[in-house]
Amino acid sequence: MKARLLAPFAPNLAKLAICTAIAGGVILSGQLYAAVDDDTIRIGFISPRTGPLASFGKTDGFILKQARQALASGMTVGGKHYQVEIIDRDSQSDPARASQLAKELINQDVDLMLAISTPEVINPVADASEAAGIPFMSTVMPWEAWYYGRGAKPGEASPFKWTYHFGFGAGEFYRTYISQWSLIDTNKKVGVMYPNDADGNAIRAVLAPRLANAGYTIIDPGAYETGTSDFSSQIALFKREGVEIINSFPIPPDFAAFWRQAAQQGLHRQVKIIQIAKTGLFPADIEVLGSLGPKIASAAYWHKTFPYTSPLTGLNGEQLANMWETETGEQWTQQLGATLSLLDAGTEALKQSTNPLSRTSVRDAIAKLNVTTIGGQVDFTSGPVPNVASGPIIGAQWVKGTGKFKLDYVITENVTDPNVPVTHKLLQYNAK
């Protein structure tokens, strides 16, 4: 049996002693612990299931079900068998709630914390985990917004001892956009819509200068606030400057408002490529735009044609997507593989630790992790900076569906992972 912390502070030792006697726990150094089964690994998992970022968390319940089934018989680490419990929570797309949920899970003595999708969820959970000394892993946000957005400085040692992130960054976006945009002849004028948030500020600082150095003219109307309802000034600037490419990193409601207004004011007729990120990742984001949706370009951090298999569930991308569509009747989304890849990486780190109930052992296993998940390779030994493993972002586009769904999500370039097959030619947005 292992004593797990129940109350981090003991305001009254005598009262705690009484409570302990009743509850069957023990007091160590003025803190209340309960004697619990030391053969259970507890994994905390936080994602946005409701709120404006809910599209990122829509498939998480399904993926957690697959993970729990795969872990139903537990796992063996270092010759010892453990049961595994996943405790999942909904951040409601609220950073303050994400932080509070992380602290609650920490007080439940989780052995590993996982968080997924956007800085609004990931960063506050990472900060709480770092402060408490809890091994942490995340994915699905630009790594620069995670690393530098939490206080790391270029050229300096990492300030993080417990928290790790894997996935795409500005370098992957740059390579993908240069590859994708070269497929259509344009005047190389790019109107950018970067919000005043962790994603937008990181992309403006890192990606925009690289695009400019590659010969693109960046037309930047300045950061806008999330929730903006009137984009007339930005649209007027883009029309006046003759932009033929638009690049945007908004939350879904903001992009829908912007692009509808752009169509009302005629901007869409001069745009050859509309390249969006953070929104346009899921069918519902594009379907709400009606006739304005097809031929919007996107980028995939996972696609069902990724040629990898989940070490946790044994499923490949096509099998996972088909299971989702059969069970729900809804179209697959790239979040399926992204969420499973996080659980793949997390459980592999636990297996590779010398003791999955030791925080330092799990942390050290993450730092040395180099595995292939359903989303591809996760290698924390090769950078690009400490605590980060890079991952692909693949050029894609929404086109009119050829089957039972209104839209198909197709791959148009693969420079960041040539193992992913290119299946379609990029279509010009304003072409008839």
Side-chain angles (χ1 to χ4, degrees):
M1 303 293 282
K2 176 182 178 180
R4 287 187 180 266
L5 178 62
L6 290 182
F9 303 103
N12 187 314
L13 194 58
K15 290 182 179 179
L16 285 177
I18 296 172
C19 294
T20 300
I22 296 172
V26 295
I27 291 179
L28 299 174
S29 302
Q31 294 179 325
L32 176 61
Y33 288 74
V36 296
D37 188 351
D38 67 351
D39 293 338
T40 298
I41 301 167
R42 291 169 175 80
I43 302 172
F45 180 94
I46 299 176
S47 67
R49 306 278 285 273
T50 57
L53 300 172
S55 54
F56 283 94
K58 182 177 181 178
T59 65
D60 286 352
F62 172 84
I63 293 299
L64 288 167
K65 175 184 175 182
Q66 308 307 314
R68 288 179 173 120
Q69 289 176 349
L71 294 167
S73 59
M75 68 170 63
T76 299
V77 181
K80 182 175 181 178
H81 193 72
Y82 299 86
Q83 296 302 309
V84 181
E85 178 184 3
I86 302 175
I87 310 169
D88 64 288
R89 296 290 185 266
D90 173 19
S91 75
Q92 299 177 359
S93 305
D94 181 347
R97 176 172 170 80
S99 178
Q100 181 59 40
L101 289 172
K103 293 171 184 176
E104 291 175 2
L105 290 177
I106 290 166
N107 285 338
Q108 292 184 46
D109 210 25
V110 295
D111 301 293
L112 172 66
M113 186 81 77
L114 304 177
I116 192 165
S117 301
T118 79
E120 291 83 356
V121 178
I122 292 173
N123 283 0
V125 180
D127 288 343
S129 299
E130 185 72 36
I134 299 294
F136 168 93
M137 200 185 310
S138 58
T139 192
V140 187
M141 66 174 281
W143 68 258
E144 292 91 347
W146 182 88
Y147 190 71
Y148 300 120
R150 296 177 53 229
K153 303 296 183 183
E156 296 184 6
S158 171
F160 309 126
K161 306 300 182 185
W162 297 93
T163 50
Y164 294 79
H165 178 82
F166 69 88
F168 52 84
E172 284 73 35
F173 277 113
Y174 169 77
R175 293 171 62 200
T176 294
Y177 288 171
I178 292 297
S179 175
Q180 177 125 303
W181 298 351
S182 69
L183 300 174
I184 292 176
D185 185 31
T186 71
N187 62 8
K188 292 192 172 183
K189 288 189 174 183
V190 184
V192 299
M193 291 285 292
Y194 299 156
N196 183 25
D197 63 14
D199 277 340
N201 294 332
I203 290 298
R204 173 177 281 102
V206 183
L207 176 61
R210 296 189 67 179
L211 293 173
N213 289 336
Y216 289 87
T217 300
I218 305 301
I219 311 300
D220 187 354
Y224 67 91
E225 297 301 324
T226 296
T228 295
S229 59
D230 184 0
F231 294 95
S232 298
S233 62
Q234 293 96 330
I235 292 167
L237 175 63
F238 294 159
K239 290 179 67 177
R240 185 167 64 249
E241 294 290 336
V243 302
E244 292 183 347
I245 303 172
I246 290 178
N247 182 214
S248 183
F249 280 73
I251 64 172
D254 289 357
F255 175 73
F258 164 70
W259 199 232
R260 288 192 184 103
Q261 291 172 33
Q264 292 167 0
Q265 298 173 42
L267 175 62
H268 69 306
R269 288 192 292 270
Q270 77 182 45
V271 172
K272 294 183 177 181
I273 301 173
I274 169 72
Q275 183 86 53
I276 58 178
K278 195 170 180 175
T279 189
L281 302 171
F282 314 115
D285 297 343
I286 304 300
E287 289 176 4
V288 298
L289 297 171
S291 62
L292 297 175
K295 295 190 287 187
I296 285 178
S298 178
Y301 44 79
W302 184 79
H303 192 279
K304 68 177 183 178
T305 60
F306 273 33
Y308 308 111
T309 298
S310 163
L312 175 59
T313 66
L315 297 171
N316 63 33
E318 294 282 357
Q319 291 169 330
L320 182 64
N322 290 341
M323 285 181 64
W324 165 264
E325 291 183 352
T326 297
E327 185 168 317
T328 68
E330 298 182 10
Q331 190 170 4
W332 71 274
T333 82
Q334 60 183 290
Q335 196 65 31
L336 288 164
T339 300
L340 184 51
S341 72
L342 179 60
L343 290 159
D344 282 342
T347 51
E348 287 298 301
L350 290 167
K351 291 176 183 177
Q352 293 182 22
S353 68
T354 56
N355 178 357
L357 302 185
S358 163
R359 294 176 179 179
T360 55
S361 177
V362 175
R363 186 269 313 276
D364 292 347
I366 295 174
K368 296 182 292 185
L369 192 66
N370 184 1
V371 298
T372 299
T373 72
I374 195 170
Q377 186 180 31
V378 175
D379 180 7
F380 284 108
T381 68
S382 61
V385 294
N387 302 78
V388 170
S390 61
I393 195 85
I394 303 294
Q397 187 174 42
W398 293 98
V399 298
K400 289 184 178 180
T402 58
K404 62 180 179 179
F405 298 109
K406 295 179 181 179
L407 298 163
D408 288 336
Y409 194 48
V410 299
I411 299 296
T412 56
E413 75 79 48
N414 65 353
V415 68
T416 62
D417 189 345
N419 293 320
V420 178
V422 173
T423 59
H424 287 69
K425 178 181 178 181
L426 184 70
L427 301 177
Q428 183 172 311
Y429 185 82
N430 65 352
K432 298 296 184 181

